[in-house]
Amino acid sequence: MSDIRVRFAPSPTGNLHIGGVRTALFNYLYARQQGGKFLLRIEDTDRQRSTPEFEQEILGSLKWLGLDWDEELVHQSARLERYREVAQELVSKGLAYEFEGAIKFKIPKTEVKVYDIIRGEVTYDSKEFDDLVIMKSDGYPVFHLAVVVDDHDMGITHIVRGEDHLPNTPRHILLYQALGWKSPKYAHLPLIFGADGTPLSKRHGAVAVSEYRNKGFLPQGLINYLALLGWNPGTPQEIFSLPELVKQFSLKRVIKSNAQFNPEKLFWVNGQHMRAMPGEDYEREITAFWKDKLPAMPEEKWRKIIALYRPRIQIYGELKEQTDYFFTEPEYADAAMTGEIRQNAVSMGLLRQLLETLGSLGDFEDVQVLDQKTKQVVETAGLKSKDLIHPLRYILTGRSATPGIFELMSLLGKETCLKRLAAFLS
Ligand code: GLU
């Protein structure tokens, strides 16, 4: 155990997004590694924009990711009296004054040094700062006052937040000094940019954690990828479980330059976790994910399909798109391929023969038999397997790449296979 106490302080004015959750994760990792506490505070003093729905969404996303917090959730809206009291204290000490119904903090003119764990020492000259409104005329505190009072009252020792808050920090330090409080230590995390070099936003695709959840990403995949947004272990290791991250994470290894969000890497990391998880977890989770979203099929068939596709998908949500031919008739969208097969008299001849040979089988249960029978057809004609298998795959699935064709034929079943083959040949 240590005395380290950090917090994540989201405003419930929107969904939990990639930037916010990366901040939450780094706080969490630091606290868990140091044996400290990770606290959660809802900054809901913006009455117009804060909603209980956003708060629930944020809490739900944190829980889904397994970022469990300590102690009781703090709401700023429940602490308004306390902010008023502190503001009055500053007024009575002559360090703040009333101005058009609001209260302004008198910025002392001095040099302010921020010692940042990631960026080192950053010096500000407060002569450049205007006096700071800390209480609005409606009796609500401004962010700067609420944050300082809360962090002090909650015993926060380290503030780990986005670099966008760095310019606020010297003002907060001046408030701590005016109140005679000890300032926490600071670590400002690099901002997250898209591939085009602009700050990550909706334009770059999904930004809310819940969107990733709905697409069928794994919490452990997302966590792993988020950890790499601004941090690396200094070794080639890229795949981490949450406990491994807790062990290896260090604020000192957080980069100073901007982090770049790379969706392809996120998919890849997620795929690694999907393949590493125990088979029964994979089966249970992907089945739950697709429940009621895909037409029902016999359990045995479903289990074979998801096993077949486990090495081929990176998120659960990709399954439907990749296995569409189990649910709908192939569309043969590749006109060049379709034409090539139809115009190839040899292939067409082989396919006709295959249709006949397969038609004489009782069922398609035995993958070996399907394999043998198909090969016989090609060999008898003195040709190579691929002369038949490529067109066959395309006709049965509408695709040029799939898992093993005989396994697929067995899963599709005799009736479907023969129907598709006959329809294409007619
Ligand atoms: N509510 C602030 C935000 O969402 C957090 C500020 C802080 O971490 O100090 O940006």
Side-chain angles (χ1 to χ4, degrees):
M1 278 309 259
S2 74
D3 300 331
I4 285 174
R5 292 169 68 82
V6 297
R7 72 347 184 238
F8 175 51
S11 307
T13 53
N15 295 322
L16 183 62
H17 55 77
I18 292 291
V21 71
R22 195 272 316 256
T23 299
L25 175 64
F26 283 24
N27 274 284
Y28 174 91
L29 293 176
Y30 186 60
R32 292 289 171 266
Q33 177 182 83
Q34 300 287 321
K37 295 268 191 265
F38 170 61
L39 310 187
L40 188 58
R41 178 170 77 227
I42 302 295
E43 305 212 318
D44 55 352
T45 52
D46 182 338
R47 282 177 301 163
Q48 265 85 53
R49 293 168 58 229
S50 300
T51 72
E53 289 75 25
F54 283 136
E55 177 176 332
Q56 284 316 310
E57 198 268 355
I58 293 168
L59 300 183
S61 291
L62 290 173
K63 283 182 195 150
W64 176 68
L65 289 167
L67 300 180
D68 47 319
W69 57 93
D70 302 308
E71 301 182 4
E72 251 179 74
L73 191 60
V74 174
H75 283 90
Q76 286 190 330
S77 55
R79 293 174 43 79
L80 299 174
E81 266 318 304
R82 174 68 178 143
Y83 309 131
R84 288 171 194 151
E85 179 189 299
V86 174
Q88 278 313 321
E89 185 188 323
L90 286 169
V91 172
S92 62
K93 284 187 182 158
L95 301 174
Y97 57 93
E98 288 196 30
F99 178 80
E100 291 177 357
I103 299 178
K104 275 188 163 183
F105 172 53
K106 257 189 241 170
I107 296 276
K109 304 303 170 195
T110 173
E111 193 171 75
V112 191
K113 282 188 167 33
V114 178
Y115 298 96
D116 188 281
I117 295 171
I118 296 162
R119 336 196 84 74
E121 188 181 293
V122 190
T123 307
Y124 290 87
D125 185 348
S126 71
K127 276 206 286 293
E128 285 161 24
F129 301 165
D130 293 330
D131 284 353
L132 189 68
V133 174
I134 51 174
M135 276 307 244
K136 291 181 280 181
S137 53
D138 63 2
Y140 274 73
V142 164
F143 157 75
H144 303 288
L145 178 70
V147 164
V148 167
V149 173
D150 290 341
D151 286 334
H152 170 262
D153 290 358
M154 291 165 76
I156 299 302
T157 59
H158 294 71
I159 293 184
V160 180
R161 62 185 174 192
E163 200 202 314
D164 47 329
H165 284 293
L166 186 58
N168 296 328
T169 301
R171 293 164 170 90
H172 297 176
I173 291 176
L174 291 172
L175 273 169
Y176 278 102
Q177 288 170 356
L179 289 160
W181 295 341
K182 185 168 178 273
S183 162
K185 294 192 168 69
Y186 290 92
H188 288 91
L189 306 175
L191 299 180
I192 304 171
F193 280 63
D196 60 356
T198 64
L200 192 66
S201 74
K202 280 231 165 288
R203 286 184 300 118
H204 297 101
V207 283
V209 171
S210 47
E211 287 175 86
Y212 286 95
R213 180 181 185 173
N214 294 339
K215 283 173 198 263
F217 280 84
L218 297 171
Q220 60 268 41
L222 201 52
I223 289 269
N224 187 159
Y225 179 70
L226 290 167
L228 301 173
L229 274 181
W231 171 84
N232 68 72
T235 67
Q237 184 176 357
E238 292 193 290
I239 300 303
F240 301 87
S241 64
L242 189 53
E244 280 174 317
L245 288 171
V246 167
K247 226 179 185 167
Q248 297 197 34
F249 182 76
S250 147
L251 282 175
K252 296 234 161 69
R253 287 207 59 87
V254 173
I255 56 164
K256 289 195 193 71
S257 51
N258 295 327
Q260 203 195 94
F261 185 73
N262 177 346
E264 274 155 41
K265 179 90 178 258
L266 168 58
F267 273 89
W268 178 79
V269 168
N270 197 79
Q272 298 295 310
H273 281 274
M274 213 185 64
R275 288 183 264 289
M277 70 203 285
E280 63 267 33
D281 291 354
Y282 166 76
E283 223 174 74
R284 191 186 59 249
E285 287 186 12
I286 193 168
T287 303
F289 181 86
W290 282 110
K291 190 170 161 23
D292 303 328
K293 287 189 225 137
L294 280 175
M297 63 166 74
E299 194 184 315
E300 198 48 31
K301 182 173 171 183
W302 170 251
R303 293 178 62 187
K304 282 184 182 159
I305 292 175
I306 59 179
L308 211 51
Y309 273 87
R310 188 172 180 191
R312 292 174 169 82
I313 55 174
Q314 295 185 302
I315 60 172
Y316 295 152
E318 276 173 359
L319 186 77
K320 181 179 177 182
E321 198 269 319
Q322 293 225 22
T323 60
D324 53 359
Y325 54 89
F326 280 107
F327 305 101
T328 53
E329 292 305 305
E331 278 172 26
Y332 308 126
D334 184 343
M337 179 83 154
T338 312
E340 212 173 285
I341 301 171
R342 283 202 204 281
Q343 277 145 36
N344 187 327
V346 178
S347 296
M348 292 295 271
L350 282 179
L351 288 163
R352 280 202 187 87
Q353 241 172 298
L354 183 69
L355 179 61
E356 202 170 304
T357 307
L358 295 179
S360 67
L361 291 176
D363 60 40
F364 277 17
E365 287 295 299
D366 195 332
V367 177
Q368 302 279 300
V369 170
L370 289 170
D371 192 341
Q372 279 163 15
K373 292 281 171 198
T374 308
K375 284 194 179 135
Q376 267 168 27
V377 171
V378 210
E379 276 159 20
T380 315
L383 292 162
K384 295 205 190 76
S385 287
K386 68 171 173 47
D387 294 324
L388 182 54
I389 292 191
H390 285 339
L392 180 62
R393 181 191 312 281
Y394 184 72
I395 293 166
L396 296 181
T397 68
R399 294 171 170 266
S400 47
T402 66
I405 188 67
F406 303 114
E407 267 164 306
L408 287 191
M409 285 166 74
S410 178
L411 284 172
L412 282 167
K414 181 178 175 183
E415 197 192 317
T416 303
C417 291
L418 297 188
K419 196 178 73 197
R420 287 182 189 176
L421 202 46
F424 191 91
L425 292 171
S426 70

